[in-house]
mmCIF file of all heavy atoms in Angstrom:
data_model
loop_
_atom_site.group_PDB
_atom_site.id
_atom_site.type_symbol
_atom_site.label_atom_id
_atom_site.label_comp_id
_atom_site.label_asym_id
_atom_site.label_seq_id
_atom_site.Cartn_x
_atom_site.Cartn_y
_atom_site.Cartn_z
ATOM 1 N N PRO Q 496 124.500 183.228 56.245
ATOM 2 C CA PRO Q 496 125.181 183.908 55.133
ATOM 3 C C PRO Q 496 126.590 184.372 55.486
ATOM 4 O O PRO Q 496 127.464 184.413 54.615
ATOM 5 C CB PRO Q 496 124.268 185.094 54.799
ATOM 6 C CG PRO Q 496 123.354 185.237 55.954
ATOM 7 C CD PRO Q 496 123.230 183.889 56.588
ATOM 8 N N LEU Q 497 126.831 184.708 56.759
ATOM 9 C CA LEU Q 497 128.178 185.120 57.157
ATOM 10 C C LEU Q 497 129.162 183.960 57.008
ATOM 11 O O LEU Q 497 130.296 184.145 56.561
ATOM 12 C CB LEU Q 497 128.173 185.624 58.600
ATOM 13 C CG LEU Q 497 127.352 186.882 58.863
ATOM 14 C CD1 LEU Q 497 127.336 187.209 60.349
ATOM 15 C CD2 LEU Q 497 127.890 188.062 58.066
ATOM 16 N N LEU Q 498 128.709 182.765 57.382
ATOM 17 C CA LEU Q 498 129.569 181.590 57.235
ATOM 18 C C LEU Q 498 129.714 181.172 55.771
ATOM 19 O O LEU Q 498 130.784 180.745 55.348
ATOM 20 C CB LEU Q 498 129.022 180.432 58.071
ATOM 21 C CG LEU Q 498 129.060 180.643 59.596
ATOM 22 C CD1 LEU Q 498 128.292 179.542 60.312
ATOM 23 C CD2 LEU Q 498 130.490 180.727 60.101
ATOM 24 N N VAL Q 499 128.645 181.324 55.001
ATOM 25 C CA VAL Q 499 128.705 180.987 53.573
ATOM 26 C C VAL Q 499 129.722 181.875 52.859
ATOM 27 O O VAL Q 499 130.437 181.427 51.947
ATOM 28 C CB VAL Q 499 127.305 181.101 52.929
ATOM 29 C CG1 VAL Q 499 127.393 181.061 51.410
ATOM 30 C CG2 VAL Q 499 126.403 179.979 53.438
ATOM 31 N N LEU Q 500 129.823 183.141 53.293
ATOM 32 C CA LEU Q 500 130.797 184.051 52.683
ATOM 33 C C LEU Q 500 132.225 183.537 52.826
ATOM 34 O O LEU Q 500 133.082 183.827 51.983
ATOM 35 C CB LEU Q 500 130.690 185.443 53.313
ATOM 36 C CG LEU Q 500 129.547 186.320 52.815
ATOM 37 C CD1 LEU Q 500 129.455 187.586 53.645
ATOM 38 C CD2 LEU Q 500 129.736 186.657 51.338
ATOM 39 N N LEU Q 501 132.482 182.787 53.878
ATOM 40 C CA LEU Q 501 133.825 182.244 54.071
ATOM 41 C C LEU Q 501 134.190 181.216 52.998
ATOM 42 O O LEU Q 501 135.365 180.960 52.760
ATOM 43 C CB LEU Q 501 133.952 181.605 55.461
ATOM 44 C CG LEU Q 501 133.768 182.533 56.659
ATOM 45 C CD1 LEU Q 501 133.993 181.782 57.948
ATOM 46 C CD2 LEU Q 501 134.692 183.737 56.575
ATOM 47 N N LEU Q 502 133.173 180.643 52.356
ATOM 48 C CA LEU Q 502 133.441 179.650 51.307
ATOM 49 C C LEU Q 502 134.097 180.283 50.086
ATOM 50 O O LEU Q 502 134.747 179.591 49.298
ATOM 51 C CB LEU Q 502 132.145 178.949 50.901
ATOM 52 C CG LEU Q 502 131.526 178.025 51.951
ATOM 53 C CD1 LEU Q 502 130.146 177.566 51.510
ATOM 54 C CD2 LEU Q 502 132.433 176.830 52.203
ATOM 55 N N VAL Q 503 133.931 181.604 49.927
ATOM 56 C CA VAL Q 503 134.544 182.290 48.788
ATOM 57 C C VAL Q 503 136.063 182.162 48.843
ATOM 58 O O VAL Q 503 136.737 182.083 47.814
ATOM 59 C CB VAL Q 503 134.123 183.785 48.784
ATOM 60 C CG1 VAL Q 503 134.851 184.560 47.707
ATOM 61 C CG2 VAL Q 503 132.617 183.899 48.601
ATOM 62 N N ASP Q 504 136.592 182.129 50.054
ATOM 63 C CA ASP Q 504 138.039 182.025 50.237
ATOM 64 C C ASP Q 504 138.609 180.743 49.639
ATOM 65 O O ASP Q 504 139.740 180.715 49.164
ATOM 66 C CB ASP Q 504 138.347 182.095 51.746
ATOM 67 C CG ASP Q 504 139.828 182.106 52.033
ATOM 68 O OD1 ASP Q 504 140.412 181.009 52.060
ATOM 69 O OD2 ASP Q 504 140.403 183.201 52.219
ATOM 70 N N GLY Q 505 137.811 179.669 49.684
ATOM 71 C CA GLY Q 505 138.242 178.416 49.065
ATOM 72 C C GLY Q 505 139.015 177.479 49.967
ATOM 73 O O GLY Q 505 139.283 176.346 49.589
ATOM 74 N N ARG Q 506 139.380 177.947 51.166
ATOM 75 C CA ARG Q 506 140.127 177.068 52.081
ATOM 76 C C ARG Q 506 139.163 176.326 53.007
ATOM 77 O O ARG Q 506 138.192 176.887 53.473
ATOM 78 C CB ARG Q 506 141.089 177.895 52.940
ATOM 79 C CG ARG Q 506 142.267 178.443 52.175
ATOM 80 C CD ARG Q 506 143.158 179.267 53.080
ATOM 81 N NE ARG Q 506 142.489 180.493 53.510
ATOM 82 C CZ ARG Q 506 142.966 181.297 54.462
ATOM 83 N NH1 ARG Q 506 144.074 180.987 55.101
ATOM 84 N NH2 ARG Q 506 142.320 182.400 54.782
ATOM 85 N N ARG Q 507 139.445 175.059 53.251
ATOM 86 C CA ARG Q 507 138.715 174.226 54.197
ATOM 87 C C ARG Q 507 137.202 174.258 53.924
ATOM 88 O O ARG Q 507 136.390 174.490 54.815
ATOM 89 C CB ARG Q 507 139.017 174.660 55.631
ATOM 90 C CG ARG Q 507 140.496 174.733 55.901
ATOM 91 C CD ARG Q 507 140.810 174.902 57.349
ATOM 92 N NE ARG Q 507 142.101 175.521 57.527
ATOM 93 C CZ ARG Q 507 143.293 174.950 57.313
ATOM 94 N NH1 ARG Q 507 143.343 173.701 56.901
ATOM 95 N NH2 ARG Q 507 144.409 175.606 57.496
ATOM 96 N N ARG Q 508 136.872 174.035 52.668
ATOM 97 C CA ARG Q 508 135.473 174.124 52.235
ATOM 98 C C ARG Q 508 134.552 173.158 52.972
ATOM 99 O O ARG Q 508 133.429 173.516 53.323
ATOM 100 C CB ARG Q 508 135.358 173.882 50.724
ATOM 101 C CG ARG Q 508 135.790 175.059 49.886
ATOM 102 C CD ARG Q 508 135.613 174.762 48.404
ATOM 103 N NE ARG Q 508 135.916 175.932 47.601
ATOM 104 C CZ ARG Q 508 135.028 176.853 47.266
ATOM 105 N NH1 ARG Q 508 133.792 176.747 47.677
ATOM 106 N NH2 ARG Q 508 135.379 177.873 46.516
ATOM 107 N N ILE Q 509 134.998 171.941 53.198
ATOM 108 C CA ILE Q 509 134.129 170.943 53.843
ATOM 109 C C ILE Q 509 133.814 171.375 55.269
ATOM 110 O O ILE Q 509 132.654 171.390 55.693
ATOM 111 C CB ILE Q 509 134.775 169.545 53.810
ATOM 112 C CG1 ILE Q 509 134.888 169.057 52.369
ATOM 113 C CG2 ILE Q 509 133.963 168.562 54.646
ATOM 114 C CD1 ILE Q 509 135.636 167.755 52.198
ATOM 115 N N GLY Q 510 134.847 171.746 56.022
ATOM 116 C CA GLY Q 510 134.627 172.176 57.406
ATOM 117 C C GLY Q 510 133.739 173.397 57.506
ATOM 118 O O GLY Q 510 132.838 173.465 58.354
ATOM 119 N N ILE Q 511 133.967 174.379 56.637
ATOM 120 C CA ILE Q 511 133.148 175.604 56.647
ATOM 121 C C ILE Q 511 131.723 175.291 56.209
ATOM 122 O O ILE Q 511 130.753 175.846 56.745
ATOM 123 C CB ILE Q 511 133.775 176.694 55.751
ATOM 124 C CG1 ILE Q 511 135.161 177.105 56.278
ATOM 125 C CG2 ILE Q 511 132.871 177.912 55.669
ATOM 126 C CD1 ILE Q 511 135.175 177.750 57.642
ATOM 127 N N SER Q 512 131.561 174.382 55.248
ATOM 128 C CA SER Q 512 130.214 174.002 54.801
ATOM 129 C C SER Q 512 129.418 173.366 55.933
ATOM 130 O O SER Q 512 128.226 173.645 56.103
ATOM 131 C CB SER Q 512 130.299 173.025 53.621
ATOM 132 O OG SER Q 512 130.904 173.632 52.518
ATOM 133 N N VAL Q 513 130.072 172.525 56.717
ATOM 134 C CA VAL Q 513 129.390 171.915 57.869
ATOM 135 C C VAL Q 513 128.989 172.987 58.870
ATOM 136 O O VAL Q 513 127.877 172.966 59.415
ATOM 137 C CB VAL Q 513 130.293 170.849 58.536
ATOM 138 C CG1 VAL Q 513 129.668 170.343 59.826
ATOM 139 C CG2 VAL Q 513 130.541 169.692 57.575
ATOM 140 N N LEU Q 514 129.869 173.954 59.105
ATOM 141 C CA LEU Q 514 129.536 175.052 60.025
ATOM 142 C C LEU Q 514 128.334 175.854 59.517
ATOM 143 O O LEU Q 514 127.465 176.247 60.297
ATOM 144 C CB LEU Q 514 130.740 175.989 60.196
ATOM 145 C CG LEU Q 514 131.965 175.418 60.893
ATOM 146 C CD1 LEU Q 514 133.076 176.462 60.956
ATOM 147 C CD2 LEU Q 514 131.612 174.922 62.282
ATOM 148 N N ALA Q 515 128.290 176.086 58.205
ATOM 149 C CA ALA Q 515 127.189 176.873 57.633
ATOM 150 C C ALA Q 515 125.856 176.144 57.700
ATOM 151 O O ALA Q 515 124.798 176.776 57.763
ATOM 152 C CB ALA Q 515 127.519 177.255 56.191
ATOM 153 N N THR Q 516 125.904 174.810 57.688
ATOM 154 C CA THR Q 516 124.643 174.052 57.744
ATOM 155 C C THR Q 516 124.209 173.757 59.183
ATOM 156 O O THR Q 516 123.052 173.392 59.401
ATOM 157 C CB THR Q 516 124.764 172.721 56.980
ATOM 158 O OG1 THR Q 516 125.847 171.964 57.517
ATOM 159 C CG2 THR Q 516 124.991 172.966 55.497
ATOM 160 N N ALA Q 517 125.106 173.930 60.153
ATOM 161 C CA ALA Q 517 124.765 173.638 61.552
ATOM 162 C C ALA Q 517 123.577 174.461 62.056
ATOM 163 O O ALA Q 517 122.655 173.899 62.680
ATOM 164 C CB ALA Q 517 125.981 173.835 62.452
ATOM 165 N N PRO Q 518 123.520 175.788 61.809
ATOM 166 C CA PRO Q 518 122.361 176.555 62.285
ATOM 167 C C PRO Q 518 121.053 176.128 61.621
ATOM 168 O O PRO Q 518 120.003 176.106 62.268
ATOM 169 C CB PRO Q 518 122.697 178.009 61.925
ATOM 170 C CG PRO Q 518 124.143 178.024 61.608
ATOM 171 C CD PRO Q 518 124.509 176.653 61.158
ATOM 172 N N ILE Q 519 121.137 175.778 60.349
ATOM 173 C CA ILE Q 519 119.937 175.323 59.643
ATOM 174 C C ILE Q 519 119.454 174.006 60.242
ATOM 175 O O ILE Q 519 118.254 173.787 60.422
ATOM 176 C CB ILE Q 519 120.225 175.178 58.135
ATOM 177 C CG1 ILE Q 519 120.632 176.529 57.546
ATOM 178 C CG2 ILE Q 519 119.027 174.611 57.400
ATOM 179 C CD1 ILE Q 519 121.220 176.459 56.150
ATOM 180 N N SER Q 520 120.402 173.142 60.577
ATOM 181 C CA SER Q 520 120.056 171.851 61.176
ATOM 182 C C SER Q 520 119.344 172.027 62.515
ATOM 183 O O SER Q 520 118.337 171.363 62.781
ATOM 184 C CB SER Q 520 121.316 171.006 61.377
ATOM 185 O OG SER Q 520 121.954 170.779 60.150
ATOM 186 N N SER Q 521 119.863 172.914 63.365
ATOM 187 C CA SER Q 521 119.220 173.112 64.673
ATOM 188 C C SER Q 521 117.850 173.747 64.522
ATOM 189 O O SER Q 521 116.909 173.400 65.231
ATOM 190 C CB SER Q 521 120.101 173.964 65.588
ATOM 191 O OG SER Q 521 120.243 175.284 65.106
ATOM 192 N N PHE Q 522 117.722 174.660 63.555
ATOM 193 C CA PHE Q 522 116.426 175.296 63.278
ATOM 194 C C PHE Q 522 115.404 174.241 62.843
ATOM 195 O O PHE Q 522 114.274 174.210 63.348
ATOM 196 C CB PHE Q 522 116.603 176.360 62.195
ATOM 197 C CG PHE Q 522 115.324 176.986 61.724
ATOM 198 C CD1 PHE Q 522 114.741 178.028 62.420
ATOM 199 C CD2 PHE Q 522 114.696 176.521 60.573
ATOM 200 C CE1 PHE Q 522 113.556 178.610 61.976
ATOM 201 C CE2 PHE Q 522 113.519 177.090 60.128
ATOM 202 C CZ PHE Q 522 112.947 178.142 60.839
ATOM 203 N N ILE Q 523 115.805 173.372 61.922
ATOM 204 C CA ILE Q 523 114.903 172.321 61.437
ATOM 205 C C ILE Q 523 114.581 171.344 62.560
ATOM 206 O O ILE Q 523 113.420 170.936 62.731
ATOM 207 C CB ILE Q 523 115.524 171.601 60.226
ATOM 208 C CG1 ILE Q 523 115.580 172.543 59.023
ATOM 209 C CG2 ILE Q 523 114.741 170.328 59.881
ATOM 210 C CD1 ILE Q 523 116.375 172.010 57.851
ATOM 211 N N PHE Q 524 115.589 170.949 63.329
ATOM 212 C CA PHE Q 524 115.374 170.011 64.427
ATOM 213 C C PHE Q 524 114.350 170.549 65.421
ATOM 214 O O PHE Q 524 113.395 169.858 65.789
ATOM 215 C CB PHE Q 524 116.696 169.715 65.135
ATOM 216 C CG PHE Q 524 116.520 168.938 66.414
ATOM 217 C CD1 PHE Q 524 116.293 167.578 66.385
ATOM 218 C CD2 PHE Q 524 116.552 169.588 67.645
ATOM 219 C CE1 PHE Q 524 116.105 166.860 67.566
ATOM 220 C CE2 PHE Q 524 116.368 168.889 68.822
ATOM 221 C CZ PHE Q 524 116.140 167.523 68.787
ATOM 222 N N TRP Q 525 114.532 171.804 65.872
ATOM 223 C CA TRP Q 525 113.640 172.373 66.877
ATOM 224 C C TRP Q 525 112.216 172.500 66.340
ATOM 225 O O TRP Q 525 111.244 172.161 67.015
ATOM 226 C CB TRP Q 525 114.149 173.725 67.359
ATOM 227 C CG TRP Q 525 113.152 174.495 68.159
ATOM 228 C CD1 TRP Q 525 112.554 175.667 67.817
ATOM 229 C CD2 TRP Q 525 112.586 174.124 69.428
ATOM 230 N NE1 TRP Q 525 111.666 176.055 68.785
ATOM 231 C CE2 TRP Q 525 111.668 175.125 69.792
ATOM 232 C CE3 TRP Q 525 112.768 173.039 70.279
ATOM 233 C CZ2 TRP Q 525 110.932 175.073 70.964
ATOM 234 C CZ3 TRP Q 525 112.038 172.985 71.462
ATOM 235 C CH2 TRP Q 525 111.145 173.999 71.788
ATOM 236 N N ASN Q 526 112.068 172.968 65.122
ATOM 237 C CA ASN Q 526 110.730 173.154 64.573
ATOM 238 C C ASN Q 526 110.059 171.836 64.218
ATOM 239 O O ASN Q 526 108.835 171.720 64.293
ATOM 240 C CB ASN Q 526 110.776 174.120 63.391
ATOM 241 C CG ASN Q 526 110.846 175.551 63.850
ATOM 242 O OD1 ASN Q 526 109.850 176.136 64.255
ATOM 243 N ND2 ASN Q 526 112.043 176.118 63.850
ATOM 244 N N SER Q 527 110.843 170.820 63.875
ATOM 245 C CA SER Q 527 110.273 169.481 63.686
ATOM 246 C C SER Q 527 109.777 168.931 65.021
ATOM 247 O O SER Q 527 108.704 168.314 65.092
ATOM 248 C CB SER Q 527 111.318 168.537 63.090
ATOM 249 O OG SER Q 527 111.729 168.985 61.832
ATOM 250 N N PHE Q 528 110.567 169.167 66.069
ATOM 251 C CA PHE Q 528 110.173 168.717 67.404
ATOM 252 C C PHE Q 528 108.863 169.379 67.835
ATOM 253 O O PHE Q 528 107.946 168.705 68.310
ATOM 254 C CB PHE Q 528 111.275 169.039 68.413
ATOM 255 C CG PHE Q 528 110.865 168.820 69.845
ATOM 256 C CD1 PHE Q 528 110.871 167.546 70.405
ATOM 257 C CD2 PHE Q 528 110.454 169.892 70.632
ATOM 258 C CE1 PHE Q 528 110.481 167.352 71.728
ATOM 259 C CE2 PHE Q 528 110.064 169.706 71.947
ATOM 260 C CZ PHE Q 528 110.071 168.432 72.497
ATOM 261 N N THR Q 529 108.764 170.692 67.672
ATOM 262 C CA THR Q 529 107.536 171.391 68.107
ATOM 263 C C THR Q 529 106.354 171.007 67.229
ATOM 264 O O THR Q 529 105.211 170.966 67.715
ATOM 265 C CB THR Q 529 107.728 172.920 68.108
ATOM 266 O OG1 THR Q 529 108.208 173.344 66.829
ATOM 267 C CG2 THR Q 529 108.710 173.339 69.185
ATOM 268 N N TRP Q 530 106.593 170.736 65.961
ATOM 269 C CA TRP Q 530 105.513 170.311 65.071
ATOM 270 C C TRP Q 530 104.952 168.974 65.540
ATOM 271 O O TRP Q 530 103.746 168.785 65.644
ATOM 272 C CB TRP Q 530 106.050 170.199 63.649
ATOM 273 C CG TRP Q 530 104.986 170.036 62.597
ATOM 274 C CD1 TRP Q 530 103.631 169.969 62.774
ATOM 275 C CD2 TRP Q 530 105.197 169.941 61.188
ATOM 276 N NE1 TRP Q 530 102.984 169.822 61.581
ATOM 277 C CE2 TRP Q 530 103.927 169.815 60.586
ATOM 278 C CE3 TRP Q 530 106.325 169.955 60.384
ATOM 279 C CZ2 TRP Q 530 103.770 169.693 59.204
ATOM 280 C CZ3 TRP Q 530 106.165 169.838 59.012
ATOM 281 C CH2 TRP Q 530 104.900 169.715 58.438
ATOM 282 N N ARG Q 531 105.858 168.055 65.865
ATOM 283 C CA ARG Q 531 105.414 166.742 66.325
ATOM 284 C C ARG Q 531 104.790 166.810 67.720
ATOM 285 O O ARG Q 531 103.790 166.149 67.999
ATOM 286 C CB ARG Q 531 106.606 165.790 66.322
ATOM 287 C CG ARG Q 531 106.245 164.379 66.682
ATOM 288 C CD ARG Q 531 107.397 163.436 66.459
ATOM 289 N NE ARG Q 531 107.015 162.077 66.784
ATOM 290 C CZ ARG Q 531 107.800 161.041 66.672
ATOM 291 N NH1 ARG Q 531 109.023 161.201 66.232
ATOM 292 N NH2 ARG Q 531 107.383 159.840 66.998
ATOM 293 N N LYS Q 532 105.378 167.618 68.592
ATOM 294 C CA LYS Q 532 104.938 167.663 69.988
ATOM 295 C C LYS Q 532 103.665 168.491 70.161
ATOM 296 O O LYS Q 532 102.769 168.119 70.923
ATOM 297 C CB LYS Q 532 106.059 168.258 70.851
ATOM 298 C CG LYS Q 532 105.800 168.231 72.344
ATOM 299 C CD LYS Q 532 106.095 166.873 72.915
ATOM 300 C CE LYS Q 532 105.937 166.850 74.411
ATOM 301 N NZ LYS Q 532 106.120 165.504 74.966
ATOM 302 N N TYR Q 533 103.587 169.625 69.468
ATOM 303 C CA TYR Q 533 102.497 170.571 69.699
ATOM 304 C C TYR Q 533 101.606 170.795 68.476
ATOM 305 O O TYR Q 533 100.694 171.616 68.516
ATOM 306 C CB TYR Q 533 103.062 171.914 70.177
ATOM 307 C CG TYR Q 533 103.963 171.773 71.378
ATOM 308 C CD1 TYR Q 533 105.313 172.103 71.297
ATOM 309 C CD2 TYR Q 533 103.482 171.296 72.596
ATOM 310 C CE1 TYR Q 533 106.149 171.969 72.393
ATOM 311 C CE2 TYR Q 533 104.309 171.164 73.699
ATOM 312 C CZ TYR Q 533 105.641 171.496 73.592
ATOM 313 O OH TYR Q 533 106.467 171.354 74.676
ATOM 314 N N GLY Q 534 101.891 170.095 67.390
ATOM 315 C CA GLY Q 534 101.034 170.186 66.215
ATOM 316 C C GLY Q 534 101.317 171.347 65.297
ATOM 317 O O GLY Q 534 100.560 171.597 64.358
ATOM 318 N N ARG Q 535 102.437 172.057 65.545
ATOM 319 C CA ARG Q 535 102.737 173.224 64.728
ATOM 320 C C ARG Q 535 104.201 173.619 64.921
ATOM 321 O O ARG Q 535 104.672 173.674 66.051
ATOM 322 C CB ARG Q 535 101.846 174.369 65.182
ATOM 323 C CG ARG Q 535 101.963 175.635 64.398
ATOM 324 C CD ARG Q 535 101.002 176.650 64.975
ATOM 325 N NE ARG Q 535 100.903 177.822 64.141
ATOM 326 C CZ ARG Q 535 100.223 178.895 64.467
ATOM 327 N NH1 ARG Q 535 99.568 178.938 65.614
ATOM 328 N NH2 ARG Q 535 100.180 179.931 63.676
ATOM 329 N N PRO Q 536 104.934 173.919 63.834
ATOM 330 C CA PRO Q 536 106.305 174.404 64.014
ATOM 331 C C PRO Q 536 106.303 175.731 64.778
ATOM 332 O O PRO Q 536 105.537 176.638 64.458
ATOM 333 C CB PRO Q 536 106.813 174.588 62.590
ATOM 334 C CG PRO Q 536 105.926 173.723 61.739
ATOM 335 C CD PRO Q 536 104.596 173.746 62.419
ATOM 336 N N ASN Q 537 107.172 175.852 65.748
ATOM 337 C CA ASN Q 537 107.193 177.047 66.595
ATOM 338 C C ASN Q 537 107.403 178.335 65.809
ATOM 339 O O ASN Q 537 106.839 179.370 66.141
ATOM 340 C CB ASN Q 537 108.271 176.892 67.678
ATOM 341 C CG ASN Q 537 108.342 178.082 68.613
ATOM 342 O OD1 ASN Q 537 109.273 178.872 68.558
ATOM 343 N ND2 ASN Q 537 107.339 178.219 69.475
#
């Protein structure tokens, strides 16, 4: 949400949007890995 707030400014929206989705991507990646490896998202 802190990074999403930067989108209000309107400058460099694409770059900021990628930054805001990066933490979500790592969260999904790690929990997908543990789900596949250990049978349950961590």
Side-chain angles (χ1 to χ4, degrees):
L497 296 175
L498 294 171
V499 167
L500 281 173
L501 298 183
L502 291 171
V503 174
D504 185 277
R506 289 179 292 170
R507 308 191 204 288
R508 284 182 175 271
I509 294 174
I511 298 296
S512 297
V513 173
L514 294 179
T516 57
I519 299 168
S520 300
S521 66
F522 174 83
I523 292 171
F524 170 78
W525 168 246
N526 281 282
S527 298
F528 170 80
T529 53
W530 191 359
R531 184 171 181 179
K532 186 80 176 176
Y533 306 116
R535 183 179 189 186
N537 181 252

